[in-house]
Amino acid sequence: MLCCYWVPSFSLFRTRELSVASQFSSFSFAPNRKISCMDAAGLDSDGREFDTAGEMWREQVGDPSKKTQWYRDGVSYWEGVTATVDGVLGGFANVNEPDISCSEDFLNTLLSERFSADARRQPLVALDCGSGIGRVTKNLLIRYFNEVDLLEPVSHFLETARETLGLGCPTNSDMHKAVNFYCVPLQDFTPDTGRYDVIWIQWCIGHLTDDDFVSFFKRAKDGLKPGGLFVLKENIARSGFVLDNEDRSVTRSDLYFKELFSRCGLHVYKSKDQKGFPEGLFAVKMYALTTEAPKRAPRTKSKIPTKTNRPRTIH
Ligand code: SAH
């Protein structure tokens, strides 16, 4: 699902996504009901439409055996993929470079704004979630963090990551090293309390159901150091959601994500759009998420007379 796992039919797919997006302008909701983005319609990769995300989730994971099957299918899909950059990028190895470079700009901003020189005297620690073969760790995280842990449920991916990043590898030094390799899916993972400055989650959260998404982030908050943050980098649907029947993952819209963040008690500290990807792929966004609400600038009395541009109250 990451970039374009639906590539064989991607032009059709995109057209379908657009056609559903355009329906939303006339989408009506029952009066007096709180409008939620989960009420928005979505599609699957075969072009089937769902009226709401709830309808899709009930069908896909509505009982415990379906849910087990959902996660089993997701991992099975990746077990059949070669452990290469091309493999984890769905045949789009060429997005590796712009992906890393855009992430690096974002990370640099976050580090300079959020981690004072003082904090940087402590070892900086990151967790790479759904790390695949360790592409993001190897090309980015290991250069900025003193320790990186990797979490990945597909064992042949994690083994490849261990071979390129583990003890004795050129990327591994006393100051910058991959430490723990966890072969666990996100929905079953609880990080050690207060270990991480950054928890990086890229192109894997679509495998989690909404409920598991929320409970993962709620648990993982305790894994952050004070002032630490999550970085979520994901494909974004134009509206509603797109279910990928092949790898059992869901691409959510920006609004859908924001509703889930609020259910997790998380705040968007900053976000940034990925640039420089080939046409035809999903849009990609990075969100930096914090547990604390953003500080609002104190309201100061304007020294400039506001008489002329203050809106008048109609009595
Ligand atoms: N983040 C990596 C890999 C992306 S490919 C990168 O950007 O290079 C998607 C990854 O999500 C695969 O490695 C896949 O095994 C992993 N994945 C699938 N289901 C998962 C789950 N339930 N929890 C965590 N990771 C999962």
Side-chain angles (χ1 to χ4, degrees):
M1 92 108 183
L2 170 155
C3 281
C4 228
Y5 296 128
W6 35 272
V7 107
S9 56
F10 91 91
S11 52
L12 164 80
F13 204 99
R14 193 168 166 81
T15 319
R16 288 211 161 260
E17 202 192 342
L18 283 172
S19 74
V20 168
S22 61
Q23 287 171 22
F24 290 151
S25 50
S26 58
F27 202 78
S28 59
F29 296 90
N32 302 327
R33 197 149 67 86
K34 197 173 163 233
I35 294 174
S36 151
C37 62
M38 277 100 175
D39 292 327
L43 284 177
D44 74 7
S45 47
D46 299 318
R48 186 181 146 205
E49 292 175 20
F50 294 91
D51 285 343
T52 63
E55 180 195 335
M56 181 274 292
W57 286 122
R58 268 190 302 282
E59 184 189 286
Q60 298 295 313
V61 296
D63 65 52
S65 72
K66 283 184 175 174
K67 190 170 163 185
T68 306
Q69 198 56 43
W70 166 273
Y71 283 119
R72 204 172 277 157
D73 290 349
V75 166
S76 299
Y77 172 85
W78 290 106
E79 282 170 345
V81 171
T82 51
T84 59
V85 170
D86 206 45
V88 293
L89 294 180
F92 284 84
N94 58 329
V95 307
N96 178 57
E97 200 278 320
D99 165 56
I100 296 294
S101 130
C102 209
S103 295
E104 186 159 10
D105 290 346
F106 194 54
L107 181 61
N108 268 315
T109 311
L110 299 174
L111 289 175
S112 64
E113 288 179 8
R114 302 272 308 181
F115 298 92
S116 61
D118 225 26
R120 287 186 201 209
R121 257 177 244 131
Q122 310 287 322
L124 283 178
V125 185
L127 171 66
D128 182 359
C129 294
S131 66
I133 59 170
R135 183 186 67 86
V136 178
T137 295
K138 181 180 171 212
N139 293 305
L140 179 67
L141 301 177
I142 200 108
R143 294 191 281 116
Y144 287 85
F145 294 88
N146 304 102
E147 295 185 6
V148 184
D149 292 344
L150 291 87
L151 172 147
E152 167 56 49
V154 171
S155 57
H156 80 292
F157 282 174
L158 198 63
E159 277 319 303
T160 303
R162 205 194 294 270
E163 282 158 22
T164 42
L165 294 158
L167 270 180
C169 295
T171 45
N172 212 317
S173 70
D174 278 352
M175 290 303 291
H176 295 272
K177 55 189 169 203
V179 177
N180 295 301
F181 294 82
Y182 300 114
C183 197
V184 194
L186 275 179
Q187 67 276 12
D188 296 339
F189 182 72
T190 305
D192 289 349
T193 308
R195 172 158 169 76
Y196 300 108
D197 297 282
V198 170
I199 298 184
W200 192 280
I201 306 141
Q202 178 162 355
W203 282 327
C204 61
I205 205 72
H207 285 286
L208 265 59
T209 64
D210 289 351
D211 290 346
D212 285 340
F213 179 119
V214 173
S215 59
F216 164 70
F217 276 102
K218 284 188 170 170
R219 286 193 310 276
K221 279 183 200 177
D222 293 338
L224 291 175
K225 290 182 191 165
L229 40 82
F230 296 100
V231 176
L232 180 72
K233 184 162 188 175
E234 260 312 328
N235 291 347
I236 303 291
R238 280 170 184 250
S239 53
F241 60 90
V242 181
L243 164 69
D244 187 322
N245 288 324
E246 200 185 357
D247 70 7
R248 311 305 292 288
S249 70
V250 166
T251 300
R252 298 168 168 102
S253 68
D254 177 55
L255 274 179
Y256 199 138
F257 274 118
K258 286 181 174 151
E259 185 154 332
L260 290 178
F261 299 155
S262 107
R263 279 171 55 185
C264 299
L266 290 170
H267 307 274
V268 179
Y269 170 73
K270 227 171 206 97
S271 65
K272 184 180 161 85
D273 294 328
Q274 172 71 43
K275 296 276 187 306
F277 274 12
E279 285 281 301
L281 301 185
F282 279 115
V284 172
K285 231 178 168 52
M286 289 175 276
Y287 302 96
L289 305 167
T290 54
T291 52
E292 76 274 10
K295 288 195 185 76
R296 303 220 175 274
R299 292 180 98 192
T300 48
K301 272 195 180 162
S302 171
K303 291 190 182 85
I304 306 160
T306 52
K307 220 175 175 180
T308 48
N309 57 15
R310 184 181 294 157
R312 284 204 285 153
T313 327
I314 302 165
H315 295 286

